[in-house]
Each structure stands twice: as structure tokens, then as C-alpha cells.
Amino acid sequence: MATEKVALVTAGGSGMGAAAAKRLAADGFKVGVLSSSGKGEALGEELGGFGVTGSNQSNEDLKRLADGALERWGRIDVLVNSAGHGPRAQIIEISDEDWHKGIDTYFLNAVRPTRLVTPVMQKQKGGVIINISTAWAFEPSAMFPTSAVARAGLAAYTKIFADSYAADNIRMNNVLPGWIDSLPTTNERRDSVPMKRYGTSEEIAATISFLASDGAAYITGQNIRVDGGITRAL
């Protein structure tokens, strides 16, 4: 009998995280969903898996998610790290406290669950970690200062992690969304995109689905732009 594959999604109650959970469930994964709102718990159950109401800034809540998957299915094949929204202000007006909040929201949200699932994936001899980042990680915008700074750090972390665990067949990649329909729509933002439209959460989920699949087995340590052409690789 084929082994059931298992995917965990953090901050998965709505938006891109929820879309990723739905797509992975449609792909045949058993899913566990974490969110602070309670929506993730309901979504996980709706998709035939489970959910945890808690925060990706809590090691204890994340452990409940990982342990829940191991108790039910005995493995974790995919981890998708989504995020909420961190502080925004003019760059020199951001307090130390808000910089720390930004790091918690946009960087440590991926580091904490990665620590939990990596030993499991090592024992399985494989696994995939996908971080939802931002198109502005490398071409930062003053609109999203804490996000851009923290996620530039996430890009460095991802490369170091990928190099460190490639021999264990554990892959880590970042998806870099641009203007997506889970964000407020404005004509100015839409017109700044070469494709002249917002992307959809389902398009981000489709990219995550590919990176989680065997078709992406040779892709690791990368930052994949999904932004309609608004940013360009150097």
C-alpha cells in the first residue's frame, strides 16, 4: 500500500496559507493547519486532516501541530510556512520592539517549525520545506520595511539550510509573491504589474504544489518569484 504523504501549513487559516492547504489536500496530502484565528482548525478538519488554534510564534503551539501529525500519520513530508502581517512605518521611525516583531513574524516563523520537522525528515530520508516570502525581499519597498529586511535574512537562511540538508534529501525553497488578491486592491498597484493584474492565492498554491512534488526534486535553496514580472532577477 502506498505511504500517505503529510503536509503541515502554518498561518493557514486564510489567504495564501489556506489556498496552499486546500491545494495540497487536493494533491492527496493529509494536512495539518495552524492558525491563530481558529479558521485553520476548521479548515484542517474540512480537508480530512486536523488543525491547531495557535501561533507560529509559539514553539509550544508548533509542537502541538507537529506532534498531531506524527500521532495520526507517523510522518511529515511537507512544511509550508506562511506568515501574518508585521509592523510598518517609515524606516527610521520603527522602534526596536517593532523590528523584533518583524523578525518574529517574517523570519522566525519559518525557523521555529523547521527545527521541529527537520529531524523527522532526516529519519524519513526526505522532505520539503516551502516558505512564503515576498517579491520585495531583494528589491525592497519602503511600504514593507520589516518584511523586506527579515525576508532577505530568510533567503540567506534558506540557502544555508539547503546546503546543510541536501544530502539528507531535504529541500527548502522560498516562494516570492507579488501583489496577490488576498491583499487590498488598488489601481496603482495593479497597473505597476507588467501583467496588469493581481495574482491569485491559487496561483501561489500551484507553485507550492509543484515545489512539494517529485517534479521539483532537484530544486533547493531557491527564491521563486511569482509576481507577474514586477521584480526581476539580477
Side-chain angles (χ1 to χ4, degrees):
M1 188 168 71
T3 301
E4 289 184 321
K5 289 200 169 185
V6 177
L8 302 182
V9 182
T10 67
S14 60
M16 292 179 281
K22 292 174 185 177
R23 176 59 186 260
L24 291 168
D27 290 345
F29 285 86
K30 297 294 185 181
V31 296
V33 184
L34 174 81
S35 82
S36 59
S37 67
K39 293 179 181 178
E41 190 165 352
L43 178 61
E45 292 172 2
E46 175 189 326
L47 296 174
F50 77 105
V52 171
T53 297
S55 171
N56 60 7
Q57 297 183 28
S58 164
N59 288 305
E60 291 75 18
D61 291 344
L62 289 162
K63 189 173 188 302
R64 286 197 289 134
L65 180 70
D67 287 349
L70 294 173
E71 289 163 7
R72 288 167 173 80
W73 304 300
R75 60 187 298 114
I76 300 169
D77 298 281
V78 173
L79 167 66
V80 178
N81 291 311
S82 188
H85 298 286
R88 294 168 57 183
Q90 201 277 339
I91 190 74
I92 66 166
E93 295 174 0
I94 301 171
S95 67
D96 286 4
E97 180 183 9
D98 278 349
W99 278 117
H100 285 296
K101 286 178 182 176
I103 296 295
D104 267 341
T105 302
Y106 298 121
F107 177 67
L108 292 175
N109 73 299
V111 172
R112 293 185 187 99
T114 294
R115 281 195 299 249
L116 290 171
V117 306
T118 299
V120 177
M121 292 177 173
Q122 284 180 299
K123 290 177 184 176
Q124 295 167 184
K125 303 188 185 304
V128 183
I129 302 171
I130 302 158
N131 305 312
I132 300 178
S133 178
T134 177
W136 293 277
F138 300 106
E139 298 181 34
S141 166
M143 286 185 288
F144 309 111
T146 62
S147 169
V149 170
R151 283 161 161 171
L154 180 61
Y157 176 90
T158 294
K159 181 58 178 171
I160 295 168
F161 180 92
D163 290 348
S164 300
Y165 292 98
D168 293 312
N169 195 35
I170 303 172
R171 300 186 288 109
M172 179 183 280
N173 293 289
N174 297 328
V175 174
L176 278 55
W179 295 119
I180 302 300
D181 60 5
S182 58
L183 298 168
T185 302
T186 71
N187 291 337
E188 182 182 7
R189 291 175 179 179
R190 185 196 62 223
D191 291 344
S192 71
V193 181
M195 294 186 76
K196 302 302 179 187
R197 69 174 178 87
Y198 273 52
T200 68
S201 295
E202 289 72 24
E203 287 170 323
I204 301 303
T207 305
I208 290 168
S209 170
F210 169 66
L211 290 172
S213 74
D214 291 341
Y218 205 50
I219 301 174
T220 193
Q222 303 303 310
N223 293 275
I224 311 297
R225 290 169 166 85
V226 190
D227 64 4
I230 197 169
T231 64
R232 294 154 181 80
L234 299 176

